[in-house]
Every structure is written in C-alpha cells, then in structure tokens.
C-alpha cells in the first residue's frame, strides 16, 4: 500500500512536472491539480456538468472506463482526443500512480 | 444606437443580480439588468437548472430553475428592464459621478450606480478548433448561439454538437430552414432522450439529416461561408454546401472585460468593502461570486445578503443628502416604483 501517488503534468512536449497526491483523502485529480496551482476552472465543482476540468491522458496505467455522465459530457466538448478525460471523475488512488497528462484548452 | 437610462445598472442576471433588483426596488431605485446569456438565472439556468438546492432559507429544497422563476416573480412589481445576449464591455464615469456603459452590441446604458453581479464571468461559447472559423463570425455564416431563428429562414444549415441546444435547435430549425444537418462526434446524445428520438424521427422522415461519429473539420468560403467539410471518425470526408454553420458546444465562463476596468482585483475576483460591497471605484459595487473579501463564501445566500447591503450603499451614493430609514416589508408590503 502506498499513501502517495505521483502524476506528471506535461506543460510542453517533453517538459513534465511531478505532482504528488495523497491517496487517503478521497480527492479527485481535478482537486489535486487545482490545489497544485494549475489553472483549472472546475465550474461545477466536480459533478461532470461543466467540462472545464478536461485533461488528456498521455501515458501511464490503464484507468477505469469513463462512466455515462463523464462520456456524455466529453462528447459535448468541441475538442476531444482519444485520451480525453474529466479530471474530476478520476479518484486519487494507487491505480493512477505514474499517470502522464496535459490540461486541455477550453476553446480553440 | 439603443440607449437606456436607469438608477442602477446590474451586470449579471444570476440569482444575486436578480435579488438586487428586489432590494433596490424597496428603496425605490430603478434597475436595468444586462446579461451575456440569452436567458436569466446565471449558473442556475446554464449549468444546473434541474438540480435541487437545499440551502435557501424557507425552501427545504427547490430546483435551481424554480428558484430563478421565483426570483423573477418577486421582482415583477419593480418592472426591471433587461438587455439579454449582450456582454457589458466598458464603462466611462461622467463628471457628475454617474456612468455610461456599453455592451458588445453597442447598447448604451446611462446609470447613477453600477452593481457588478457577474458571477464567474460572462459565459462564452466553446469554439471548436477549426482553422479560419473566426473569419466567418460576425454575420458571415458562423453562429455560436441562435438569437433569432428567422436569420436562418430558407437557409442550408449545419449544426454541430450533442447536447440539448444542438438537439432542440435542430428540431426547431427543421421547420424554418431549407436543409438542416446535425453533426455529432458520438453516437449517443447528452441532451434529453426524447429530443434525441425526435431528431432521429426527423432524419427518418427526410426532414433533417443526422450525421453521427463525425466532426465538422473545415470551413470554406470567400468573405462569407459557403461550405463545410464533415470528416467521419473512420477518415472519410464529405463537403457540403451551406449558408450557416452553428457549432453548439456549450458555454464556458470568462471573467472577461471586467478584468480590465481598473478595479482592485485579487485571485480573479473584485475586492470589496464589506460595509456596502463597494469596489475601489466609488459608485461601482460588486456582489455574489465575482467579489472577494476575508471569509467570502460563494453561496447564493451570501450573495443575497450582499445585495441588500449593496443597495444601501448605492442609495447613499445616488442620494448623498437623503436619509434612509429601514422599513420592514411586513409593515408596508412591497412598494411599487
Ligand atoms: C453545480 C453547482 C451547484 C451549486 N449548488 C449550490 C447550492 O446548492 N447552494 C448555493 O448557495 N450555491 C450553489 N452553487 C453556487 C451558486 O450557483 C453561485 O454562488 C451563484 O450562481 C452565484 O450567483 P451570481 O448571481 O453571483 O453569479 P452567476 O450565477 O454566475 O451569474 C452571473 C451572470 O453574469 C453574467 N455576466 C458576467 N459578466 C458579464 C458581462 N461583462 N456582461 C454581461 N453579463 C455578464 C453571466 O453571463 C452570468 O449569467 C452551485 C454552483 C454550481 C456550479
Ligand atoms: S469540474 Fe465540472 S466537469 Fe469536472
């Protein structure tokens, strides 16, 4: 059991910043990224209602498939990539250790 | 140019801006409300109209949409006026201490005080990443909102998106336009199930076309849009002659022009004095989610309290020589202007 996980935020190609998050606080990835100073609006506070916490998973462990609400929200966004996820729907557990992600722009 | 004159101009028709109309009305101050969205209610209407809220005093639970309807009923006696679908861009302070405001569509509002109730900022359309899309904005064939369906009468339209707006406008415009094609990247819809069924039925009846698992990837034209390319997820592409393209991918809030108004800001919010929620510019007040002060809570309840105190401050700013006497509504009822 590990009580910390590491995720990596790619700010530019090849430029990654490590973010360390606790697994015992019931946080989600949006909350961790926000708390680490990333510019994520998260207007709906993590309810899969706004899409403003959109990220792209670039590498790392396999995650659970998105749920129906997450999938529906993702499909309504104008920019979508095969690795698109809502960071508020991803729980900080040891399963996400090593995830590499980038924040997705809100508009073109 | 459309010109409006009022006592207080309220920027933002969210719950806090709407309740400010009521509090101002009790002091016999007239209000004009401006919102960038085509409907009132702010976040409650845009993000969570069907969710229940549990922390409004006197309502053990109430749907966000119903709270907005109640607020509109509550302010009826004061006959506020509204400019919807226009964003307030800039202001000028006049020599007598009053203000002149201008909206994105050139509407001019003359007022004695300004209450910014802009919440998270104005909601702006999410734009798809399509090259040169912007060159067809401003009436040249690309629209991010349907303000007047008549704009599209007898036109060939492509609508893109998978939410309620995309479905609802496809259904509505199928009767107005010459041809409607709805392009959706997925195969399931986020919007209401019965609207999705209606669109499928229109498709089967040949009254609208539905193109699933596809995206609009290119726009073409010379000065005015004349065609779009639709690319399917398997890579096949078709180019379609169109008069208008309407991408409807929802809205995202941006603090927007208020950021550049020279008001003292902290963490993207307007700093206020909690005595009356005045900002660093006399005569401009800020209430609700858009302001910040020690202990700030972004809750509707707190915004309502701020609206009441703000109106006292605005009353004093507008009437420096008049004394205000608190009157309970139980004693006098709700006055009219
Ligand atoms: C999913 C969700 C659930 C919530 N649940 C609760 C709850 O249970 N209880 C609670 O108290 N709070 C809740 N909130 C928070 C609550 O919605 C906000 O505190 C409230 O909406 C703030 O109201 P407001 O009027 O300040 O701003 P908003 O509702 O954000 O409205 C601001 C309006 O101003 C407009 N605007 C901004 N700038 C301009 C401009 N320059 N020109 C024209 N218009 C402009 C915007 O378009 C917008 O319509 C919730 C929020 C969300 C997202
Ligand atoms: S915070 Fe709104 S969808 Fe994630």
């Amino acid at each position: 059991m590990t009580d910390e996980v590491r995720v990596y935020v790619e700010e530019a190609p090849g430029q990654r910043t490590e973010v360390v998050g606790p697994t015992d606080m019931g946080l989600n990835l949006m909350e961790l990224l926000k708390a680490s100073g990333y510019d994520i609006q998260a207007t709906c506070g993590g309810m899969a209602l706004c899409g403003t916490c959109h990220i792209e998973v670039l590498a790392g462990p396999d995650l659970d498939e998105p749920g129906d609400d997450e999938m529906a929200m993702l499909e309504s966004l104008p920019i979508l990539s095969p690795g698109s996820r809502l960071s508020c729907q991803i729980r900080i557990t040891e399963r996400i250790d090593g995830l590499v992600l980038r924040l997705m722009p809100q508009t073109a | 140019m459309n010109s409006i004159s009022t006592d207080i101009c309220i920027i933002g028709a969210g719950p806090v801006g709407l309740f400010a109309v009521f509090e101002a009305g009790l002091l016999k101050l007239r209000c004009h409300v401006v919102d960038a969205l085509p409907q009132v209610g702010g976040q409650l209407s845009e993000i969570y109209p069907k969710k229940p809220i549990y922390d409004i005093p006197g309502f053990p639970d109430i749907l966000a949409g119903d709270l907005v309807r109640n607020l509109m009923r509550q302010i009826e006696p004061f006959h506020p006026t509204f400019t919807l679908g226009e964003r307030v861009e800039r202001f000028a302070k006049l020599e007598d201490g009053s203000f002149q405001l201008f909206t994105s569509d050139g509407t001019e509002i003359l007022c004695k005080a300004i209450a910014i109730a802009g919440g998270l900022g104005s909601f702006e359309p999410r734009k798809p990443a399509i090259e040169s899309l912007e060159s067809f904005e401003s009436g040249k064939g690309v629209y991010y909102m349907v303000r007047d369906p008549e704009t599209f009468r007898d036109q060939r339209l492509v609508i893109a998106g998978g939410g309620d707006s995309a479905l609802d406008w496809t259904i509505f415009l199928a009767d107005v336009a010459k041809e409607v094609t709805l392009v959706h990247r997925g195969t399931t819809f986020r919007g209401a199930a019965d609207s999705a069924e209606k669109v499928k039925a229109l498709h089967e009846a040949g009254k609208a076309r539905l193109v699933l698992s596809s995206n609009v990837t290119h726009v073409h034209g010379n000065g005015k849009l004349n065609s779009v390319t639709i690319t399917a997820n398997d890579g096949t592409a078709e180019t379609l002659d169109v008069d208008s393209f309407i991408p409807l991918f929802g809205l995202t809030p941006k603090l927007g022009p208020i950021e550049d108004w020279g008001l003292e800001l902290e963490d993207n919010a307007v700093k206020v004095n909690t005595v009356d929620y005045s900002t660093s510019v006399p005569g401009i007040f800020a209430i609700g989610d858009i302001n910040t002060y020690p202990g700030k809570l972004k809750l509707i309840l707190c915004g309502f309290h701020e609206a009441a105190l703000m109106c006292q401050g605005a009353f004093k700013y507008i009437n420096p020589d008049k004394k205000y006497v608190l009157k309970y509504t139980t004693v006098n009822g709700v006055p009219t202007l």
Side-chain angles (χ1 to χ4, degrees), chain A residues 3-32:
Chain A
D3 51 7
E4 267 182 7
V5 290
R6 286 172 166 64
V7 297
Y8 301 87
V9 182
E10 186 158 298
E11 269 119 26
Q15 188 192 322
R16 292 176 179 178
T17 303
E18 182 182 85
V19 177
V20 181
T23 54
D24 57 353
M25 284 174 63
L27 292 180
N28 63 48
L29 190 52
M30 173 276 281
E31 289 164 331
L32 174 65

Side-chain angles (χ1 to χ4, degrees), chain B residues 50-125:
Chain B
K50 307 245 164 68
K51 285 183 93 66
I53 306 176
Y54 301 99
D55 55 351
I56 303 297
F59 291 95
D61 61 82
I62 181 164
L63 294 183
D66 289 342
L67 179 61
V68 173
R69 271 185 285 281
N70 284 357
L71 284 164
M72 289 299 284
R73 246 187 64 211
Q74 194 170 18
I75 62 179
E76 263 170 26
F78 302 121
H79 308 294
T81 46
F82 290 87
T83 298
L84 297 177
E86 295 181 30
R87 186 168 86 155
V88 176
E89 295 287 339
R90 56 194 175 88
F91 81 96
K93 193 165 186 182
L94 307 178
E95 259 173 34
D96 63 356
S98 68
F99 298 89
Q100 194 180 20
L101 286 161
F102 296 94
T103 72
S104 45
D105 284 19
T107 304
E108 180 197 44
I109 300 146
L110 297 166
C111 58
K112 296 174 188 154
I114 297 174
I116 305 174
L120 301 163
S122 66
F123 283 87
E124 306 287 321

Side-chain angles (χ1 to χ4, degrees), chain B residues 221-237:
Chain B
N222 193 356
K224 175 121 190 32
L225 184 75
N226 60 31
S227 60
V228 302
T229 301
I230 301 169
T231 308
N233 293 350
D234 65 9
T236 51

Side-chain angles (χ1 to χ4, degrees), chain A residues 30 42-53 73 86-89:
Chain A
M30 173 276 281
T43 309
C44 76
M47 295 196 282
L49 283 172
C50 71
T52 58
C53 67
M73 183 70 233
L86 296 178
S87 56
C88 69
Q89 301 301 304

Side-chain angles (χ1 to χ4, degrees), chain A residues 41 43 50 75-78 80 108, chain B residues 120 126-128 185-186 188 253:
Chain A
Q41 228 161 12
T43 309
C50 71
E75 282 202 338
S76 76
L77 299 177
L80 192 73
Chain B
L120 301 163
R126 285 199 179 99
K127 300 181 184 178
R185 111 161 25 94
T188 54

Side-chain angles (χ1 to χ4, degrees), chain B residues 141-146 152 157-161 173 244-248:
Chain B
V142 171
Y143 300 85
Y144 301 106
M145 259 182 213
V146 179
F152 306 105
L157 304 181
V158 166
I159 298 176
L173 292 171
S244 297
F245 170 43
I246 314 175
L248 297 172

